[in-house]
């Protein structure tokens, strides 16, 4: 009886550890000092960072989950470098005069882009 309980405990422990490792491995995070480094990483081409990110972006922090395809990108950018976003996205009223918010296509998904007057930006899955 004790042997059976020990075996069941070992199996349950292995399953819990395997589930934890699987969940951990599906998360990815990256940091890039420049837009060029981000571009070279191929995360834009692979769809993890939307193409609409300003070309002047720097200090870029990207996080995504492989299993659900959600994107989160925080970055700094040169204020005024918003032509691509303005041309390809819909502006959304957010009630804050210091932050412009856009709703943009990203493949088959939609993302929200927030651009602050001080040069801070964020792109998040909707």
């Amino acid at each position: 009886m004790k042997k059976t309980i020990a075996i069941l405990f070992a199996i349950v422990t292995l399953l819990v550890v395997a589930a934890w490792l699987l969940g951990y491995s599906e998360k990815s995070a990256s940091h890039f000092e420049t837009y060029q480094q981000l571009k070279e990483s191929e995360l834009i081409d692979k769809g993890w960072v939307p193409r609409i990110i300003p070309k002047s972006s720097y200090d870029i922090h990207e996080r995504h989950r492989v299993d659900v395809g959600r994107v989160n990108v925080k970055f700094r950018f040169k204020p005024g470098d918003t032509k691509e976003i303005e041309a390809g996205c819909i502006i959304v009223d957010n009630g804050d005069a210091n932050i412009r918010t856009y709703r943009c296509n990203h493949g088959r998904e939609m993302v929200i882009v927030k651009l602050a007057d001080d040069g801070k930006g964020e792109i998040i899955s909707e």
Side-chain angles (χ1 to χ4, degrees):
M1 182 69 163
K2 287 183 179 181
K3 195 173 195 178
T4 304
I5 292 173
I7 292 172
L8 286 175
F9 180 75
I11 291 171
V12 169
T13 301
L14 278 171
L15 289 174
V16 168
V17 170
W20 178 79
L21 287 173
L22 182 62
Y24 182 76
S25 67
E26 292 176 347
K27 297 176 186 174
S28 179
S30 305
H31 176 256
F32 304 96
E33 290 297 326
T34 66
Y35 176 86
Q36 185 61 35
Q37 288 176 345
L38 169 66
K39 188 174 178 182
E40 290 169 3
S41 76
E42 298 183 358
L43 288 175
I44 295 173
D45 292 335
K46 292 177 182 176
W48 293 115
V49 175
R51 295 187 183 284
I52 55 168
I53 188 169
K55 305 279 187 286
S56 65
S57 296
Y58 62 97
D59 191 21
I60 305 160
H61 297 267
E62 174 275 336
R63 292 183 304 152
H64 67 269
R65 286 194 51 152
V66 175
D67 58 336
V68 291
R70 298 198 51 85
V71 176
N72 182 286
V73 185
K74 292 184 179 183
F75 55 93
R76 304 281 309 189
F77 71 101
K78 181 179 172 185
D81 183 16
T82 59
K83 290 178 187 172
E84 285 187 46
I85 292 171
E86 291 172 359
C89 302
I90 300 166
I91 195 157
V92 178
D93 182 18
N94 68 355
D96 186 341
N98 297 316
I99 299 175
R100 290 175 315 284
T101 303
Y102 300 88
R103 189 168 187 255
C104 309
N105 285 322
H106 174 56
R108 291 177 274 153
E109 306 287 326
M110 296 298 287
V111 293
I112 300 297
V113 180
K114 296 180 181 183
L115 302 175
D117 290 344
D118 65 357
K120 291 181 182 176
E122 182 174 21
I123 301 172
I124 53 175
S125 294
E126 196 171 47

